[in-house]
Amino acid sequence: EQCPEEGRLPDAGPPSPAAHLRDVFYRMGLNDKEIVALSGAHTLGRSRPERSGWGKPETKYTKDGPGAPGGQSWTVQWLKFDNSYFKDIKERRDNDLLVLPTDAVLFEDPSFKEYAEKYAVDQDPFFKDYAEAHA
C-alpha cells in the first residue's frame, strides 16, 4: 500500500512537489542548493510515459534516437551536460520539452529559485555545485 500507482513516480506532482523533493533529498542529508543542482542532471536523458507515467511518447527531439527513439526530453540536446535544463524550464517556450511539477517548482519555491536562477544565468556555478552534491 505504500507503493505508487503503477507507472507513476511517487508524489512528484501536486499538491506539493517542493515538499516531495525535500522529503526525498533531506533524508539523504542534502540541502536545497544540492537538490536544485542535482535536479540539473535532467539536462541529460528522457522520460518515457510507459515507464514513468510522465512525458510524451515521442517529440521532434527524440524521434530519431540515438539509441531507442522516443520519450520526451527536458532539453533539446539531451545528451549534452550543460545548464540548458534551467534555461528551458525557466522559459517554458517549447511544448516538446518536459517540465515535471518537480522541475517547475525550482522556479516557484523561493529557496529553490535562488539557485535555479543562478544556474540558468551561469553554467560555472552549476557545474561546481553539481559536482559537490553528486560526490
Side-chain angles (χ1 to χ4, degrees):
E1 59 264 4
Q2 292 183 350
C3 292
E5 169 188 337
E6 185 63 35
R8 283 298 211 195
L9 297 173
D11 301 324
S16 183
H20 172 67
L21 286 172
R22 289 185 174 108
D23 287 344
V24 170
F25 289 99
Y26 279 9
R27 70 177 176 229
M28 296 179 206
L30 300 168
N31 60 35
D32 286 356
K33 176 174 83 170
E34 293 163 327
I35 291 170
V36 177
L38 291 174
S39 294
H42 279 159
T43 196
L44 298 173
R46 316 167 266 184
S47 177
R48 295 183 180 271
E50 69 274 12
R51 296 181 189 162
S52 69
W54 297 96
K56 296 178 180 179
E58 177 181 280
T59 71
K60 62 188 172 195
Y61 304 118
T62 63
K63 66 180 177 159
D64 295 321
Q72 187 174 15
S73 60
W74 285 265
T75 62
V76 173
Q77 293 183 320
W78 50 271
L79 292 174
K80 181 180 180 186
F81 192 76
D82 61 14
N83 68 334
S84 61
Y85 165 79
F86 298 104
K87 292 177 181 181
D88 291 341
I89 293 220
K90 182 179 180 179
E91 295 170 8
R92 290 195 196 190
R93 285 190 256 179
D94 191 334
N95 286 332
D96 272 345
L97 296 178
L98 182 60
V99 179
L100 297 173
T102 48
D103 300 315
V105 78
L106 299 180
F107 285 94
E108 297 164 359
D109 179 271
S111 179
F112 290 156
K113 185 176 180 175
E114 171 188 348
Y115 304 107
E117 291 280 357
K118 179 168 77 169
Y119 301 155
V121 171
D122 190 349
Q123 184 167 270
D124 291 337
F126 165 55
F127 281 179
K128 178 187 172 292
D129 292 348
Y130 179 87
E132 290 173 4
H134 189 98

